[in-house]
Amino acid sequence: MICSTAANLFSLTPGDEVVAIYRISRTISLFASILSGYFIFLTLHEVFEVDKRWSYFTALLCILCTVPWYFATRPDSLMAMFLFSSIYFFCRSLKQDSGAYRYLVASGLAAALSFFSKQNGLIISIIAGSYLLLNLKIKDLGLFIFGFLLGTTIFLLLFYGFYTKFFFQHLTEGVNNGIDIQTAITKVYHTYVSRFGTLTVITILLALFIISRMSFRDISKEFKFLLYALFVSISFSVA
C-alpha cells in the first residue's frame, strides 16, 4: 500500500511503468532496512551497552546479510523495521524504571504496524504479550495492548481507501496457516540437522555452555526477554 501510494504520487501506471514501480519498491525496502539496522544498533549500544564500534559493525552486518531476502527481492524489510523497533522499545521499558510506560506503548504501536506490514510480524506481539503475562505484569500488558490498539487505529485511518474483501481475506488467511507437527520435524531436520549438523550442534552446545556459566540472577531482564523471544520465534518457525 505504501508503494502504491508512492507510485500514485509520481503518476505511475501499473503494467506500463514496471521498472519505475520496482525502483520505488526497492527504495522503500532499502530505507526500511537501514532503519532496521539503526534499531539493532540502538538495542546493542543503549540497552546492552555494547561498544559503539561493535554495535555499528553488527548492525551493518545484519543489513548486508539480509540483502538477498529484503532489499533485493522482497518487501519484508518494512515488517522487520517495525519488529526491531518494537524489540528496542520493549527492552528499553525493561531497562528503564522511570518513563517505562512510554516505551511499552511505543513497542505495542510498532508491533501492530509490524503485523499490518506482513502477517508474520504478529510474532512480536505474541512474544511481548506472553512475556508480560507470564511475569504477571498486568499493568505493563495493558500499556502494550493500548499501544497495539493505537497502532491499529493509525493504520486503519491512514489506509482506509485500500480496504477490500481481498485485503481482509489476505490478512486473516495469511496468519491461519495451521500447524503440522510432522512437517515441523521434517523441516527442522532438513534445514538444520542434515545440512548444518556439526555447526548447529557446536553452536547449541556453545550457547548452553555460556548460559550455564552465568548465574540466572546475573542475567538482565532484557537478555532474558531476548532468550524467550528466540525460543518462541524458533518454535513458531518450525511449527
Side-chain angles (χ1 to χ4, degrees):
M1 289 183 287
I2 293 178
C3 293
S4 176
T5 302
N8 288 331
L9 290 175
F10 288 98
S11 301
L12 299 179
T13 304
D16 294 333
E17 298 170 286
V18 178
V19 176
I21 294 175
Y22 176 82
R23 287 172 178 170
I24 288 177
S25 174
R26 297 287 66 80
T27 300
I28 293 173
S29 293
L30 175 61
F31 180 72
S33 296
I34 292 173
L35 285 180
S36 294
Y38 174 69
F39 283 111
I40 292 173
F41 165 78
L42 289 180
T43 303
L44 291 172
H45 184 59
E46 294 187 1
V47 177
F48 295 100
E49 300 178 358
V50 177
D51 179 76
K52 182 178 289 188
R53 288 175 298 179
W54 281 108
S55 299
Y56 275 130
F57 175 75
T58 305
L60 179 62
L61 194 62
C62 289
I63 295 175
L64 294 178
C65 288
T66 58
V67 163
W69 297 276
Y70 290 136
F71 167 56
T73 56
R74 295 173 66 91
D76 299 50
S77 54
L78 192 65
M79 179 276 295
M81 179 192 73
F82 288 120
L83 184 143
F84 284 120
S85 64
S86 181
I87 291 175
Y88 165 70
F89 289 128
F90 193 89
C91 288
R92 281 298 302 266
S93 73
L94 295 175
K95 186 179 182 69
Q96 190 162 330
D97 295 328
S98 60
Y101 68 93
R102 295 175 299 176
Y103 292 109
L104 279 171
V105 173
S107 178
L109 190 153
L113 296 179
S114 178
F115 167 58
F116 284 112
S117 297
K118 193 180 180 186
Q119 298 92 331
N120 55 357
L122 181 64
I123 186 66
I124 187 58
S125 300
I126 296 174
I127 292 171
S130 60
Y131 178 86
L132 293 173
L133 187 61
L134 290 173
N135 286 277
L136 301 178
K137 295 186 176 183
I138 306 303
K139 180 180 178 180
D140 291 348
L141 178 60
L143 290 170
F144 182 84
I145 292 175
F146 172 76
F148 186 91
L149 294 176
L150 181 61
T152 301
T153 302
I154 292 174
F155 176 87
L156 294 178
L157 292 175
L158 286 177
F159 297 104
Y160 177 80
F162 289 90
Y163 301 156
T164 62
K165 180 180 179 181
F166 171 77
F167 169 79
F168 290 104
Q169 183 180 4
H170 176 71
L171 188 65
T172 55
E173 291 185 1
V175 177
N176 186 25
N177 289 324
I179 295 177
D180 187 340
I181 302 298
Q182 184 176 356
T183 302
I185 295 174
T186 303
K187 188 183 296 185
V188 172
Y189 175 78
H190 286 293
T191 304
Y192 299 104
V193 180
S194 63
R195 191 177 302 174
F196 307 107
T198 304
L199 182 61
T200 302
V201 171
I202 292 176
T203 303
I204 293 175
L205 290 177
L206 181 61
L208 291 175
F209 174 76
I210 294 174
I211 294 174
S212 67
R213 302 293 295 180
M214 302 171 63
S215 171
F216 193 73
R217 292 182 179 180
D218 295 335
I219 301 177
S220 66
K221 292 181 292 184
E222 307 86 70
F223 190 67
K224 290 177 183 177
F225 169 72
L226 286 188
L227 289 177
Y228 176 73
L230 182 63
F231 171 76
V232 175
S233 299
I234 293 176
S235 299
F236 269 83
S237 69
V238 300

